[in-house]
Amino acid sequence: MPILQITKFYYHYYVCLLMFCLMISGTIYLLCSNFSPTPTIQIIALTISVILYIWLLLYFIYLNKRQEWFIPHHWKNVRKRPRFYCLLIFPLVIIFLFWLNLSGTLPMFYTAMAGKQQLIHTQAQATKNSFKGKISYYLKTPYRSSPIFKISPEQYQRYQNQQVRLQLTIRQSSVGTSVKPINHIQVKPKTTNKEQ
């Protein structure tokens, strides 16, 4: 039986597999998570993501110069315009996926394990977003516009000209905040200041 040898010629397959896994975990974070990372974590994650991509790019250039790796034949567009893909297309995808997981997925799991649960009150505002003709309604808070803050059109009509105060259960750590349920919504009419 022939023995399958893992050589540097096939390293791009491992990078593609890694990107696929990061894409799945990042999509789960975007669609199902109520986690809001801190701004500091987002900046640190972006810095690390750029460094990781540069390291990855330089390593493959090094392997190519030593003739231990080459651009695969079926990557026809990349072979025709390698600089365009390596300096524009790949960074946009790879750095974004690294950043999404380093700033969202990993801190979210850390907060779930090490964060402290608290009960807080915060102000919210009913907002309407339109994307590709689809309209969605949210309660805008200091936290990420996650699925937990989505409201119905009827609730939007009720809350849009009101002062909305939410009672939330959160789990907070040094890297971010995960919002659990909305315990209570208190509504008050907006008051206007009259000049004396």
Side-chain angles (χ1 to χ4, degrees):
M1 278 183 69
I3 299 173
L4 179 64
Q5 291 185 343
I6 298 174
T7 68
K8 295 175 183 178
F9 286 105
Y10 302 104
Y11 276 10
H12 59 275
Y13 288 120
Y14 306 127
V15 173
C16 291
L17 179 62
L18 173 65
M19 292 302 106
F20 179 72
C21 294
L22 291 177
M23 192 176 353
I24 291 174
S25 61
T27 302
I28 291 171
Y29 162 70
L30 284 177
L31 298 179
C32 307
S33 167
N34 298 318
F35 179 76
S36 298
T38 64
T40 305
I41 287 299
Q42 291 181 323
I43 293 170
I44 292 171
L46 181 60
T47 305
I48 293 172
S49 301
V50 171
I51 291 170
L52 283 174
Y53 178 74
I54 292 171
W55 175 82
L56 198 62
L57 180 64
L58 292 176
Y59 182 64
F60 274 92
I61 291 172
Y62 167 77
L63 292 179
N64 185 265
K65 286 188 175 180
R66 292 185 51 144
Q67 297 184 348
E68 294 177 355
W69 181 82
F70 57 89
I71 298 173
H73 292 291
H74 56 280
W75 291 10
K76 293 178 181 178
N77 292 334
V78 180
R79 291 178 72 86
K80 289 176 184 175
R81 303 172 68 187
R83 290 183 183 174
F84 173 73
Y85 279 86
C86 293
L87 299 178
L88 183 65
I89 302 298
F90 290 161
L92 288 177
V93 175
I94 295 174
I95 290 174
F96 174 72
L97 288 176
F98 277 140
W99 173 80
L100 194 60
N101 283 273
L102 291 174
S103 70
T105 308
L106 294 179
M108 178 183 67
F109 284 119
Y110 173 78
T111 301
M113 292 185 298
K116 293 182 181 178
Q117 190 161 304
Q118 302 173 23
L119 191 68
I120 65 160
H121 292 85
T122 187
Q123 298 288 337
Q125 182 182 359
T127 59
K128 178 170 64 172
N129 293 328
S130 179
F131 181 71
K132 291 186 177 179
K134 185 178 179 182
I135 299 174
S136 55
Y137 304 91
Y138 285 92
L139 289 173
K140 187 177 179 182
T141 67
Y143 305 104
R144 188 169 76 89
S145 296
S146 52
I148 199 168
F149 296 118
K150 193 170 183 178
I151 58 175
S152 67
E154 294 78 18
Q155 289 173 314
Y156 173 75
Q157 293 296 329
R158 191 185 328 152
Y159 298 150
Q160 67 175 337
N161 294 319
Q162 312 291 331
Q163 287 181 340
V164 182
R165 189 171 172 81
L166 305 179
Q167 185 186 70
L168 304 174
T169 300
I170 64 169
R171 185 171 290 276
Q172 193 166 29
S173 71
S174 58
V175 295
T177 304
S178 184
V179 179
K180 299 303 181 185
I182 298 175
N183 300 324
H184 182 67
I185 300 177
Q186 184 180 9
V187 181
K188 292 181 180 178
K190 283 189 177 178
T191 57
T192 57
N193 294 333
K194 293 182 180 179
E195 293 184 3
Q196 298 291 333

